Amino acid sequence: MKIISAKDYDDMSRKAANIIASQVIMKPDCVLGLATGSTPVGTYARLVEWYERGDLDFSNVTTVNLDEYKGLTKENDQSYFYFMNKHLFSKVNVKPERTFLPDGTEPDSEKACSDYNRIIAEAGGADLQLLGLGHNGHIGFNEPADVFEAKTHCVDLTESTIKANQRFFASIDEVPRQAYTMGVGTIMKAKRILVVVSGEDKAKIVKEAFFGPITPRVPASALQLHGNVTVVADEAALSLVK
Ligand code: GLP
């Protein structure tokens, strides 16, 4: 695991965007595994900037996102589809038909999950998977559990995640209670993983996830077993590790 220290959020975003940009340049038809949350917003903004400048071409890229809320339509401004469209898809030349997320509107969880597993398999898996880190160590929406789930599954979100995501909704009652998420097994199959972390409030979980025991109670700890992980974190997020 390679840990890159960034000065602050902007520096983290630039460094992470540089890694993604180099992936797109080296392999123009790559599969990018993408993430939502507030942490990667700055990374996407840099990619859009470099695309506008003519430095990046997404026309042959395929994207597979980590997760989607169950029950939210693409038009709902809190859906992860909406987020991706707003921050990246509508601003670069990626082909809309090559951008994939689990289908939040599919009420049959088994179907939604098996469809998404098939989409990921057909795309050939991610060349580079971008990840944020939840305060409880979740990646995608893989919440602390007794086992690491391998494939796409439907999760009941924990109280702490519902509370953390409340800020994006009008009230806590509107926060969906379930989501479809790629499994830890699928995430671990990505050829390369890039984790972005920012802020002092993540310092404790950074220490636990990347320097503590490997346990499904801290889903991100599985990343310690992957052979090609880069963590780009700002100084605040790294403040509890040397
Ligand atoms: C959300 C997402 C995760 C994200 C995490 C952290 O619940 N499902 O993919 O990494 O929370 O979000 P943030 O970057 O806003 O702290």
Side-chain angles (χ1 to χ4, degrees), residues 16-155:
N18 266 301
I19 293 170
I20 298 171
S22 74
Q23 172 69 65
V24 173
I25 292 167
M26 297 292 278
K27 189 178 176 194
D29 62 347
C30 64
V31 177
L32 295 180
L34 298 178
T36 53
S38 45
T39 316
V41 169
T43 305
Y44 294 143
R46 293 290 80 72
L47 292 175
V48 169
E49 194 181 302
W50 300 339
Y51 162 74
E52 285 171 350
R53 218 166 56 190
D55 288 342
L56 284 176
D57 175 14
F58 291 87
S59 61
N60 289 310
V61 168
T62 297
T63 68
V64 286
N65 258 81
L66 284 167
D67 46 11
E68 179 60 283
Y69 286 115
K70 182 175 176 181
L72 296 195
T73 62
K74 288 182 171 182
E75 295 74 35
N76 187 307
D77 63 3
Q78 292 311 326
S79 75
Y80 284 167
F81 175 84
Y82 191 98
F83 174 101
M84 289 310 303
N85 213 35
K86 177 175 165 195
H87 293 288
L88 188 70
F89 298 161
S90 67
K91 294 183 170 168
V92 299
N93 65 339
V94 66
K95 295 190 179 87
E97 66 274 19
R98 298 305 305 160
T99 62
F100 299 100
L101 287 90
D103 181 1
T105 62
E106 173 56 67
D108 178 347
S109 299
E110 256 176 57
K111 182 172 183 317
C113 296
S114 63
D115 284 353
Y116 203 55
N117 287 330
R118 203 191 51 250
I119 287 168
I120 297 167
E122 280 173 7
D127 290 292
L128 174 66
Q129 176 67 57
L130 176 64
L131 295 176
L133 180 65
H135 286 102
N136 60 3
H138 74 228
I139 44 176
F141 265 136
N142 290 276
E143 296 280 33
D146 294 332
V147 290
F148 290 115
E149 290 269 0
K151 293 193 165 180
T152 308
H153 55 289
C154 180
V155 282

